[in-house]
Amino acid sequence: MHYAGQAQDPLVLGLVARSRALLAASAGSAESLFLEALRHQTEHTQPFERARTALAYGQFLRREQRKTEARVQLRDALTTFEGLNTPLWAHRARAELEATGITVRKRNPSTLDTLTPQELRIAKLVAGGASNRSVASQMFLSPKTVEYHLRKVFLKLSVSSRVELANLPLAPVAVGAADYY
């Protein structure tokens, strides 16, 4: 634990916070530790570890009878696990999501690499050098929504940085109503 505090590595700090959340004695301290873990893991860590944290936090929220909030975390985890092609983890996230009372279809593998029009537009803007905040203002979205879609773009295109995204040949974006939903 001493090393983790000195390392200031977001991956290590996120893993420590998640571990402490899982061992927490009270629901209040567990929740604050899960949120701390997710903060560390948002931008600077591997998507797999962030998804594991989202899954654990979603399980916690479901057990606390906070199903709506749990679904957000569990859907995020499921999308990431499917994008990373980790079927056992995806199955686990799907089972937890179904335990909240909704039915989840298995994703069609033929569409894993297909970007939605909104994801494509975000990818092109980011590849052109725009920040998340700039993309958000151009598309009338929140920066968190842009971050969510960008994470899905990275998973679908198997890239891990904005530089890699900028080096990809992205199809032109069609101008029309699909760009603004």
Side-chain angles (χ1 to χ4, degrees):
M1 183 82 153
H2 182 66
Y3 165 75
Q6 291 179 343
Q8 295 304 308
D9 178 0
L11 173 63
V12 174
L13 294 172
L15 293 174
V16 168
R18 180 177 71 210
S19 299
R20 290 178 60 211
L22 292 169
L23 298 172
S26 72
S29 61
E31 182 163 20
S32 66
L33 288 164
F34 277 124
L35 293 172
E36 178 185 336
L38 288 171
R39 268 193 309 276
H40 287 300
Q41 295 175 331
T42 295
E43 292 181 26
H44 305 291
T45 193
Q46 301 154 349
F48 179 75
E49 290 302 333
R50 187 181 194 299
R52 286 188 60 198
T53 300
L55 174 60
Y57 185 36
Q59 290 171 319
F60 164 80
L61 291 169
R62 184 182 65 79
R63 290 182 181 109
E64 291 292 312
Q65 304 301 314
R66 295 164 55 188
K67 292 179 181 182
T68 304
E69 294 169 82
R71 288 175 185 146
V72 172
Q73 297 300 320
L74 295 170
R75 278 191 188 109
D76 185 32
L78 177 59
T79 300
T80 303
F81 291 139
E82 286 179 335
L84 293 172
N85 195 25
T86 54
L88 295 176
W89 285 99
H91 175 74
R92 204 168 151 188
R94 188 177 298 105
E96 281 294 326
L97 199 48
E98 288 173 352
T100 68
I102 64 169
T103 303
V104 184
R105 290 181 293 147
K106 285 191 176 184
R107 191 163 189 180
N108 180 351
S110 66
T111 64
L112 282 177
D113 296 330
T114 306
L115 297 180
T116 66
Q118 187 165 14
E119 289 169 346
L120 180 59
R121 184 159 169 77
I122 289 170
K124 288 184 69 65
L125 290 169
V126 168
S131 67
N132 287 7
R133 189 171 299 283
S134 172
V135 172
S137 67
Q138 289 179 50
M139 294 183 66
F140 304 103
L141 300 170
S142 75
K144 285 285 187 189
T145 300
V146 171
E147 180 182 306
Y148 170 78
H149 287 295
L150 190 56
R151 192 166 48 248
K152 288 173 48 178
V153 167
F154 278 23
L155 287 170
K156 287 180 178 183
L157 299 179
S158 298
V159 297
S160 59
S161 72
R162 290 170 178 260
V163 172
E164 286 181 58
L165 184 62
N167 289 328
L168 291 178
L170 297 172
V173 178
V175 177
D179 292 338
Y180 302 103
Y181 69 88

